[in-house]
C-alpha cells in the first residue's frame, strides 16, 4: 500500500480544514464539520488497530464513553478542570485498554470481535445503570472548557460553532500526524508485519502480543479523546455515546473509507456523518441507504473508498 | 451511478429551494420519529404536520403561512443538537418544538437558550423547567406531578404502605426517584423498592418479594414500554390482590392490549383527558379541544391518538397562539408572548405560563383513570 509522504497528507488535511469554511453559508456547517473531525479522530484510532495491526474492535464506543464521562464527572466530583479531565480520561482509557487488552487480544477473528463487543456493552450498561453517578439514560451536563472565553479576552471572538470547528480540526491534525509517524516507525512496521502474518512476524522476532496491545491502547486513547471532545462540544452527554451502535458506526466509517488509509478513514467519517444530514428528507430510508452504500462499497471497492479509487486512477485496478 | 447521484442531489436542493421560497413563518421540529422512542416521536410529528396543514388551509397566522421543518433525531442527543443548530442557523426558524426524550431536550435546550429561540419541549423531566430558562417551555406534566396524583388517590383510599417496582429506563428511574421524594408528603411509606431492566421478560421474582413484604397495601410501577404490561400480567398470575397503580407513561390503549384486559382490570393510572375523550362531560373545559383533535387525527391517520401526540398538539397550539399575539416573527417577542399565555386549553390540561412557571399545568390536568372491561373510566 502506498502511503504518500507524510507531509503531503497533512498538508491536504490542513488545507481542507482551513479553506472549507470559506464556502460555509451558515454557522450550522461548522457544527457538522466539528462532528466530522470528532468522528474522524476515533476512526484514525481504529485505522491503527484495524488497518495497521489487523485486529478488530466492536467495543470502541466504550472508550469514547470513558472519555466523555470523564469530562462530565471529574469536574463535578473532583473539581478538575475539563481540559485536565480529557487527559485523565485518556489515561484511564489507556489503563483499562491495557488491562482488558492482554487477555482479549489472545483471541482472533470472531472471538476477538465478540469479546470487544462485550466490553462495549458492559461500559454502556454501567453508564446507563449507575444513575446516581452518571444521571442514567437522561444523561448529564458537561462543564464548559472555558477556552473560548480566554480567546475572547485576547481579542479573538469566535462563535461556539467556529471554536469547536477549529479545536476539533486541530486535534484531528495532531492525531493524524501521530498516526502517520507511527506508520513509518519501527512499531508501526511491526504492527503491519503482524497484520500480514502473525507467524512470520513472530519468526522475525516481533513481540506480537505487546504490539497488538500497543495498537489497542493507542486506538483506545483516540476514541477517548474523541468522546471527550464530543462531550465538551455538546455540553451534555448521555450513555448513547458508549452504545453498541456507536461502535458499529466507527467501524463502518473505517471500513468505508479504507482500513489502511488515514485520509480514507477521514473521508469515510465525513461521508457517514454527512449522509444523515443530506438524507433528512428521506429520514425513514436513511438506514436503508447507509446499508446499501456499505454493501456496494464492500462488493465493488473491497479495500475501501480511497485506496480502491486511488488504485483505479493509477490504472492498476484491484 | 454517478449521474443518478447528481440527479438525486440536484432534486434535493431544488426541493429545498422551492419550499424555502414560500416561507413566511418558519417553525422547526426535531423529534424521534424513528428509533427506540418512535412511539413518542411518530405521533408527535404526525400531529404537528396535520395541524400545520389545517392552519395553512385556514389562512395561517395573521394571514401568514407557516412553513414547517421537521427533522428526525432518532432520540440521539448528539443528532438533536446538530438538528437544533441547523434549524436555528441554516433554516432560520423563529421557534422550535421537539425533544421527544429528556436527553434530546437537554441538547436542543442549550442551543435554543444560547441563540434566543423559543423552544417548547415534549419531554417529561422536571429538570427541563426547574430552574426556569428564559426560552425553554414544556407541555407534558412532570413525573413528580404523576407521583403526587397517584399518592393523592392512595390517600383517599386509605393506603399508606406501598411496594414499588420501577423500570431502570430513563422514565422509570426518574419517576422512581421523584415518587420516593414526595411520598412522605402524602403519608405514604415505600416499604419495598424493586427494579427491572427495560428488556426483562419476567418480573415474578421482584413481585414475589413485594408480595412477601409485610403490610403492602398497594403496588406502584413507574415505567414505560413493555415492562409495565409484563408487571401487570405477573401481578395477575401471582394472584396479588392489592391494587396496582401504573404511571402516565403507559396511558394508551396499547397497554391494555399488551397486558390483556383481564389482567389490567382495576389498574389505576394518572392520564390525560385525551384517553377518555368520549366520556368527558358536557361543559368540561377540555371536551371540545380533546374531541376535535382525536377526531381529526384518527380520521387522517387511521390510528388511535396517544397522549404523546397530545403533547405536540398543545405545544403547537401554544406556539401559534403566542406568535399570533406577538404579531411579529421576532423570536424574543414570541417568547414574551409565550410566557404571557393564560388559560390556553389543550389536550393535556389548561396552560398558564409565568416567569416562574414554564410548564403552566397543575394537578387538575391529570385525571385518575381506571381500567374496567378493557376500557378506560374516570375515577371520581
Amino acid at each position: 500500500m502506498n502511503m504518500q509522504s507524510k507531509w503531503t497528507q497533512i498538508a491536504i488535511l490542513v488545507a481542507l480544514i482551513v479553506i472549507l469554511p470559506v464556502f460555509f453559508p451558515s454557522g450550522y456547517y461548522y457544527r457538522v464539520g466539528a462532528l466530522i473531525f470528532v468522528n474522524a479522530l476515533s476512526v484514525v484510532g481504529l485505522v491503527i488497530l484495524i488497518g495497521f495491526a489487523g485486529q478488530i474492535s466492536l467495543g470502541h464506543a466504550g472508550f469514547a464513553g470513558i472519555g466523555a464521562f470523564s469530562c462530565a464527572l471529574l469536574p463535578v466530583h473532583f473539581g478538575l478542570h475539563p481540559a485536565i479531565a480529557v487527559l485523565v480520561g485518556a489515561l484511564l482509557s489507556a489503563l483499562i485498554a491495557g488491562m482488558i487488552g492482554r487477555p482479549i487480544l489472545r483471541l482472533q477473528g470472531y472471538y476477538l470481535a465478540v469479546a470487544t463487543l462485550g466490553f462495549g456493552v458492559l461500559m454502556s450498561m454501567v453508564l446507563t445503570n449507575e444513575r446516581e453517578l452518571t444521571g442514567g439514560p437522561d444523561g448529564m451536563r458537561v462543564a464548559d472548557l472555558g477556552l473560548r472565553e480566554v480567546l475572547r479576552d485576547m481579542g479573538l471572538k469566535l462563535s461556539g460553532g467556529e471554536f469547536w470547528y477549529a479545536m476539533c480540526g486541530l486535534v484531528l491534525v495532531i492525531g493524524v500526524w501521530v498516526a502517520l509517524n507511527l506508520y513509518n516507525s519501527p512499531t508501526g512496521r511491526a504492527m503491519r508485519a503482524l497484520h500480514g502474518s502473525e507467524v512470520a512476524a513472530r519468526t522475525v522476532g516481533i513481540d506480537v502480543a505487546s504490539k497488538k496491545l500497543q495498537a489497542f491502547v493507542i486506538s483506545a486513547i483516540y476514541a477517548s479523546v474523541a468522546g471527550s471532545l464530543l462531550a465538551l462540544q455538546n455540553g451534555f452527554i448521555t450513555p448513547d455515546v458508549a452504545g453498541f451502535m456507536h461502535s458499529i458506526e466507527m467501524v463502518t466509517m473505517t471500513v468505508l473509507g479504507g482500513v489502511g488509509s488515514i485520509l480514507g478513514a477521514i473521508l469515510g467519517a465525513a461521508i457517514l456523518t454527512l449522509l444523515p444530514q443530506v438524507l433528512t428528507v428521506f429520514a425513514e430510508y436513511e438506514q436503508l441507504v447507509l446499508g446499501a452504500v456499505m454493501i456496494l462499497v464492500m462488493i465493488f471497492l473491497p479495500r475501501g473508498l480511497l485506496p480502491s479509487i486511488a488504485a483505479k486512477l493509477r490504472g492498476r485496478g484491484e | 451511478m454517478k449521474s443518478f447521484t447528481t440527479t438525486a442531489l440536484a432534486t434535493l436542493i431544488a426541493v429545498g429551494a422551492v419550499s424555502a421560497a414560500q416561507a413566511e413563518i418558519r417553525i422547526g421540529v426535531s423529534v424521534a420519529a424513528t428509533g427506540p422512542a418512535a412511539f413518542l416521536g411518530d405521533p408527535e410529528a404526525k400531529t404537528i404536520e396535520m395541524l400545520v396543514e389545517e392552519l395553512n388551509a385556514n389562512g395561517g397566522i395573521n394571514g401568514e403561512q407557516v412553513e414547517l421543518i421537521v427533522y428526525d433525531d432518532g432520540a440521539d442527543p448528539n443528532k438533536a443538537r446538530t438538528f437544533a443548530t441547523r434549524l436555528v442557523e441554516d433554516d432560520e426558524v423563529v421557534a422550535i418544538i421537539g425533544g421527544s426524550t429528556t436527553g434530546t431536550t437537554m441538547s436542543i435546550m442549550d442551543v435554543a437558550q444560547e441563540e434566543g429561540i423559543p423552544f417548547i419541549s415534549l419531554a417529561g423531566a422536571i429538570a427541563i423547567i426547574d430552574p426556569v430558562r428564559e426560552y425553554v417551555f414544556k407541555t407534558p406534566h412532570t413525573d413528580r406531578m404523576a407521583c403526587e396524583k397517584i399518592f393523592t388517590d392512595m390517600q383517599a383510599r386509605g393506603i399508606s404502605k406501598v411496594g414499588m417496582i420501577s423500570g431502570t429506563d430513563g422514565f422509570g428511574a426518574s419517576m422512581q426517584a421523584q415518587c420516593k421524594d414526595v411520598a412522605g408528603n402524602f403519608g405514604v411509606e415505600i416499604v419495598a423498592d424493586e427494579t427491572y431492566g427495560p428488556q426483562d421478560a419476567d418480573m415474578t421474582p421482584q413481585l414475589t418479594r413485594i408480595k412477601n413484604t409485610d403490610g403492602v397495601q398497594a403496588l406502584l410501577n413507574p415505567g414505560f414500554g413493555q415492562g409495565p404490561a409484563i408487571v401487570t400480567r405477573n401481578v395477575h398470575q401471582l394472584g396479588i390482590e392489592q391494587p396496582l397503580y401504573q404511571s402516565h407513561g403507559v396511558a394508551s390503549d396499547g397497554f391494555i392490549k399488551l397486558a390483556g384486559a383481564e389482567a389490567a382490570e382495576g389498574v389505576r393510572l394518572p392520564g390525560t383527558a385525551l384517553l377518555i375523550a368520549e366520556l368527558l362531560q358536557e361543559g368540561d373545559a377540555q371536551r371540545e379541544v380533546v374531541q376535535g383533535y382525536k377526531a381529526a387525527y384518527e380520521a387522517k391517520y387511521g390510528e388511535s391518538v396517544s397522549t404523546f401526540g397530545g403533547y405536540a398538539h398543545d405545544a403547537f397550539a401554544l406556539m401559534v397562539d403566542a406568535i399570533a399575539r406577538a404579531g411579529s416573527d421576532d423570536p424574543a417577542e414570541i417568547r414574551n408572548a409565550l410566557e404571557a399565555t393564560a388559560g390556553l386549553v389543550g389536550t393535556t390540561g389548561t396552560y398558564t405560563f409565568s416567569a416562574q412557571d414554564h410548564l403552566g399545568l397543575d394537578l387538575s390536568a391529570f385525571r385518575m383513570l381506571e381500567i374496567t372491561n378493557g376500557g378506560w373510566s374516570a375515577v371520581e
Side-chain angles (χ1 to χ4, degrees):
Chain A
M1 171 184 13
N2 178 14
M3 268 268 177
Q4 294 135 17
S5 89
K6 185 174 86 188
W7 294 110
T8 323
Q9 295 200 40
I10 291 183
I12 294 175
L13 185 64
V14 171
L16 278 176
I17 293 175
V18 174
I19 293 169
L20 276 179
V22 177
F23 303 102
F24 288 175
S26 78
Y28 150 69
Y29 292 83
Y30 286 100
R31 160 81 186 167
V32 177
L35 280 184
I36 291 177
F37 298 157
V38 166
N39 285 332
L41 190 65
S42 23
V43 170
V44 169
L46 279 182
V47 167
I48 295 173
L49 182 69
I50 304 177
F52 292 10
Q55 309 300 309
I56 181 82
S57 168
L58 295 182
H60 256 52
F63 296 114
I66 294 175
F69 275 89
S70 296
C71 278
L73 291 169
L74 294 176
V76 178
H77 293 286
F78 298 99
L80 285 184
H81 189 273
I84 310 284
V86 176
L87 299 179
V88 177
L91 196 69
L92 197 65
S93 293
L95 276 177
I96 292 177
M99 275 189 325
I100 64 163
R102 223 165 233 293
I104 277 187
L105 289 166
R106 287 174 179 276
L107 305 169
Q108 285 178 339
Y110 304 132
Y111 301 103
L112 177 62
V114 169
T116 51
L117 187 144
F119 163 73
V121 171
L122 209 65
M123 274 314 300
S124 155
M125 274 173 72
V126 168
L127 292 174
T128 308
N129 290 334
E130 288 306 311
R131 207 186 152 73
E132 305 290 314
L133 196 62
T134 65
D138 281 353
M140 67 181 296
R141 308 197 72 81
V142 182
D144 193 67
L145 187 56
L147 187 58
R148 213 173 111 203
E149 283 64 38
V150 175
L151 288 177
R152 192 167 51 207
D153 293 342
M154 285 163 57
L156 187 60
K157 265 194 172 174
L158 292 176
S159 76
E162 289 163 355
F163 171 74
W164 284 109
Y165 179 87
M167 184 76 193
C168 298
L170 181 69
V171 177
L172 176 64
V173 170
I174 297 174
V176 168
W177 177 70
V178 171
L180 287 172
N181 275 339
L182 183 72
Y183 184 87
N184 293 316
S185 72
T187 306
R189 278 195 291 272
M191 284 176 185
R192 280 145 54 202
L194 79 91
H195 185 185
S197 160
E198 267 187 47
V199 177
R202 203 171 282 132
T203 322
V204 295
I206 292 170
D207 183 352
V208 169
S210 103
K211 292 303 167 214
K212 280 189 191 176
L213 191 63
Q214 277 178 20
F216 193 65
V217 168
I218 294 171
S219 66
I221 295 175
Y222 273 85
S224 174
V225 173
S228 296
L229 284 177
L230 188 70
L232 288 169
Q233 179 182 167
N234 285 353
F236 178 78
I237 199 76
T238 67
D240 287 343
V241 68
F244 172 59
M245 284 317 287
H246 190 203
S247 290
I248 296 296
E249 224 173 71
M250 285 184 196
V251 175
T252 314
M253 286 172 180
T254 317
V255 174
L256 176 68
V259 280
S261 154
I262 286 173
L263 281 194
I266 297 174
L267 181 70
I271 291 175
L272 288 189
T273 311
L274 279 175
L275 219 56
Q277 296 296 324
V278 178
L279 292 180
T280 47
V281 187
F282 309 116
E284 285 140 58
Y285 305 103
E286 185 191 315
Q287 305 294 333
L288 199 72
V289 175
L290 282 182
V293 167
M294 263 333 276
I295 292 173
L296 288 177
V297 168
M298 298 303 343
I299 294 175
F300 295 108
L301 308 167
R303 286 162 62 198
L305 275 181
L306 203 65
S308 304
I309 292 173
K312 287 232 162 80
L313 285 182
R314 281 192 215 99
R316 281 196 263 112
E318 286 302 319
Chain B
M1 181 70 198
K2 194 172 271 173
S3 70
F4 167 75
T5 321
T6 324
T7 323
L9 275 177
T11 319
L12 270 185
I13 295 164
V15 169
V18 169
S19 52
Q22 297 166 339
E24 299 285 355
I25 297 174
R26 291 189 178 191
I27 298 180
V29 172
S30 176
V31 291
T34 60
F39 67 100
L40 302 170
D42 182 56
E44 287 164 0
K46 282 180 177 164
T47 296
I48 298 184
E49 274 160 9
M50 175 185 88
L51 293 174
V52 169
E53 256 175 54
E54 257 176 44
L55 182 74
N56 283 339
N58 295 329
I61 306 174
N62 298 339
E64 287 191 71
Q65 295 281 298
V66 169
E67 193 208 345
L68 189 68
I69 298 156
V70 183
Y71 293 128
D72 171 15
D73 58 41
D76 175 352
N78 190 35
K79 269 193 183 170
R81 192 183 170 100
T82 309
F83 283 134
T85 312
R86 184 168 180 176
L87 286 170
V88 174
E89 302 266 354
D90 210 43
D91 301 321
E92 296 174 346
V93 298
V94 297
I96 300 177
I97 296 171
S100 307
T101 65
T102 302
T104 52
T105 290
M106 298 305 249
S107 289
I108 300 172
M109 193 162 89
D110 284 347
V111 178
Q113 181 65 27
E114 213 169 282
E115 306 289 338
I117 301 289
F119 166 48
I120 303 185
S121 158
L122 309 176
I126 198 164
I128 299 164
I129 43 130
D130 183 25
V132 169
R133 288 168 188 82
E134 223 185 329
Y135 282 89
V136 183
F137 300 78
K138 78 185 207 85
T139 52
H141 329 257
T142 62
D143 31 25
R144 196 182 185 88
M145 293 168 74
C147 297
E148 289 171 346
K149 187 74 184 179
I150 290 169
F151 290 141
T152 310
D153 190 63
M154 286 183 176
Q155 218 175 10
R157 287 168 103 179
I159 293 167
S160 64
K161 289 197 161 125
V162 176
M164 202 153 75
I165 173 165
S166 320
T168 53
D169 53 289
F171 180 90
S174 166
M175 184 163 166
Q176 176 194 25
Q178 296 295 337
C179 282
K180 277 157 89 172
D181 202 33
V182 297
N185 305 347
F186 297 84
V188 170
E189 193 191 340
I190 311 288
V191 289
D193 187 12
E194 301 285 340
T195 58
Y196 58 85
Q199 304 300 329
D200 290 0
D202 180 54
M203 284 63 153
T204 320
Q206 293 97 319
L207 288 169
T208 309
R209 273 200 293 278
I210 295 181
K211 192 183 177 186
N212 295 336
T213 308
D214 278 340
V216 171
Q217 293 170 301
L219 278 71
L220 169 57
N221 177 204
F224 72 3
Q226 56 173 1
I230 297 171
V231 167
T232 306
R233 265 188 271 141
N234 287 164
V235 165
H236 183 68
Q237 285 154 1
L238 288 174
I240 297 176
E241 300 287 333
Q242 288 92 333
L244 171 63
Y245 283 82
Q246 289 290 355
S247 70
H248 55 311
V250 293
S252 72
D253 294 338
F255 168 69
I256 303 180
K257 261 187 228 146
L258 212 54
E262 198 191 344
E265 182 73 22
V267 168
R268 286 191 177 186
L269 54 82
T272 66
L274 199 54
L275 274 184
I276 46 163
E278 285 86 8
L279 302 179
L280 291 178
Q281 304 288 322
E282 195 84 47
D284 190 305
Q286 282 179 271
R287 189 168 186 246
E288 196 185 328
V289 177
V290 167
Q291 293 188 349
Y293 166 56
K294 187 178 160 80
Y297 187 89
E298 290 178 354
K300 185 167 169 69
Y301 295 112
E303 57 185 40
S304 51
V305 283
S306 74
T307 315
F308 319 117
Y311 297 150
H313 170 278
D314 295 356
F316 187 73
L318 284 162
M319 206 56 104
V320 169
D321 174 64
I323 297 173
R325 275 186 293 112
S328 108
D329 57 2
D330 176 53
E333 284 181 36
I334 297 173
R335 187 217 82 90
N336 292 340
L338 200 54
E339 195 169 73
T341 302
L344 186 129
V345 180
T347 63
T348 314
T350 304
Y351 294 88
T352 302
F353 289 136
S354 72
Q356 292 80 38
D357 184 5
H358 278 194
L359 167 59
L361 291 175
D362 55 26
L363 277 192
S364 69
F366 264 138
R367 320 245 168 167
M368 186 47 75
L369 308 178
E370 188 173 300
I371 299 172
T372 41
N373 303 323
W376 303 96
S377 63
V379 178
E380 295 307 327

